[in-house]
């Protein structure tokens, strides 16, 4: 028995539980730190160019590498404001997605409402997520994510946060 009156094996078990809690907390902090570094790199890359094609390429790379998406499209609002026009695509049927009316679900709704949309599982259209590109509350485009990498079961809350920040930065860039 120890001086505290509790058996040594109970103290050891309590210390092991505390060590496990501290280790889990450390892992969570490391993940958050990694996410912040990735976000800083993404923002720097988006604002590091003024060339449209380089910006679109950077946006694709960021979504592919940081979110884990292998199929995506970037749309911008048409001049008349009635549809979205495809401006960049990675492994997406360009003919099918060349123009999307604003009444089309869920891409058009994302543009109409300025609200991101996330599928619980792949939708009938194959979409995983739609994230609006907004400047001062005005939607100027949409990023549509289709197929994720095979090892990625779905988007996580951290992915939602990253996409929101990247979309805001991409819109202003």
């Amino acid at each position: 028995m120890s001086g505290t009156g509790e058996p040594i094996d109970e103290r050891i078990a309590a210390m092991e539980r505390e060590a496990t809690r501290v280790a889990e907390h450390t892992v969570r902090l490391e993940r958050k730190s990694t996410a912040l570094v990735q976000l800083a790199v993404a923002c720097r890359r988006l604002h590091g160019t003024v060339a449209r094609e380089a910006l679109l390429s950077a946006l694709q790379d960021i979504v592919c590498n940081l979110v884990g998406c292998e199929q995506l499209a970037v749309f911008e609002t048409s001049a008349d404001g009635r549809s979205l026009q495809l401006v960049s695509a990675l492994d997406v049927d360009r003919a099918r997605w060349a123009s999307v009316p604003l009444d089309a679900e869920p891409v058009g709704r994302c543009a109409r409402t300025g609200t991101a949309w996330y599928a619980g599982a792949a939708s009938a259209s194959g979409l995983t997520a739609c994230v609006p590109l907004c400047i001062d509350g005005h939607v100027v485009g949409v990023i549509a994510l289709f197929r994720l990498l095979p090892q990625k079961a779905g988007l996580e809350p951290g992915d939602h946060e990253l996409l929101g920040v990247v979309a805001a930065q991409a819109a202003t860039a």
Side-chain angles (χ1 to χ4, degrees):
M1 299 268 298
S2 68
T4 64
E6 69 184 301
I8 191 81
D9 38 339
E10 286 181 23
R11 288 185 62 208
I12 290 171
M15 289 170 40
E16 287 174 345
R17 285 191 301 275
E18 179 64 11
T20 299
R21 188 192 67 74
V22 169
E24 289 170 351
H25 182 69
T26 301
V27 167
R28 282 192 303 275
L29 288 176
E30 287 174 354
R31 284 185 186 144
K32 286 184 179 183
S33 175
T34 299
L36 287 172
V37 168
Q38 290 174 336
L39 190 54
V41 168
C43 291
R44 191 173 317 118
R45 182 142 184 237
L46 288 171
H47 289 283
T49 184
V50 292
R52 180 181 171 92
E53 289 306 315
L55 174 66
L56 291 169
S57 176
L59 182 58
Q60 280 185 355
D61 288 348
I62 290 165
V63 173
C64 288
N65 295 317
L66 298 185
V67 177
C69 181
E70 63 183 0
Q71 192 179 35
L72 66 113
V74 180
F75 300 91
E76 68 182 0
T77 307
S78 64
D80 65 9
R82 295 185 196 165
S83 64
L84 295 167
Q85 303 302 309
L86 182 67
V87 293
S88 177
L90 179 63
D91 200 25
V92 171
D93 181 352
R94 287 179 173 271
R96 177 178 179 207
W97 294 98
S99 181
V100 177
L102 290 187
D103 61 355
E105 297 292 336
V107 180
R109 177 173 24 119
C110 177
R112 280 191 326 272
T113 65
T115 304
W117 172 88
Y118 299 98
S123 65
S125 63
L127 282 163
T128 300
C130 297
V131 182
L133 298 170
C134 299
I135 298 175
D136 295 329
H138 178 70
V139 177
V140 296
V142 171
I143 303 170
L145 284 70
F146 292 83
R147 187 176 59 235
L148 300 176
L149 294 172
Q151 66 271 25
K152 188 153 183 144
L155 294 175
E156 300 172 4
D159 295 323
H160 296 195
E161 290 177 30
L162 179 64
L163 284 168
V165 172
V166 167
Q169 296 299 310
T172 58

